[in-house]
Amino acid sequence: MRRSFYSWLMTQRNPVAANEVQTFANGAFYDQQFPKQSDDFDEISRHLEENASYLHSVTIFDEAWDEYLASEN
């Protein structure tokens, strides 16, 4: 069983966010409704589209998701 996307995303946090994925991770940390146990693209994407004002573009999530999948191989 692979780790959740949120668990991976938290490894990308950086208080001086140097890139968009790090900024996304910083915002997700404060998102109390984030599906923290999920590894399902559609569930997380739906949550972000409906609730994540801190995510400026869905393409940032797509980039982070690609990095997440690559880290699992």
Side-chain angles (χ1 to χ4, degrees), residues 12-27:
Q12 305 303 305
R13 287 183 65 216
N14 182 345
V16 248
N19 65 46
E20 293 176 321
V21 172
Q22 291 172 342
T23 301
F24 170 32
N26 293 341

Side-chain angles (χ1 to χ4, degrees), residues 4-61:
S4 72
F5 176 75
Y6 181 83
S7 176
W8 172 84
L9 187 61
M10 291 301 99
T11 68
Q12 305 303 305
R13 287 183 65 216
N14 182 345
V16 248
N19 65 46
E20 293 176 321
V21 172
Q22 291 172 342
T23 301
F24 170 32
N26 293 341
F29 177 75
Y30 295 103
D31 182 350
Q32 302 219 348
Q33 302 301 317
F34 198 98
K36 292 178 173 68
Q37 304 305 315
S38 182
D39 64 357
D40 181 71
F41 178 89
D42 292 329
E43 177 184 9
I44 297 166
S45 179
R46 188 171 29 262
H47 167 77
L48 293 171
E49 289 173 5
E50 295 172 0
N51 303 298
S53 60
Y54 57 87
L55 185 63
H56 302 292
S57 171
V58 179
T59 58
I60 299 166
F61 168 60

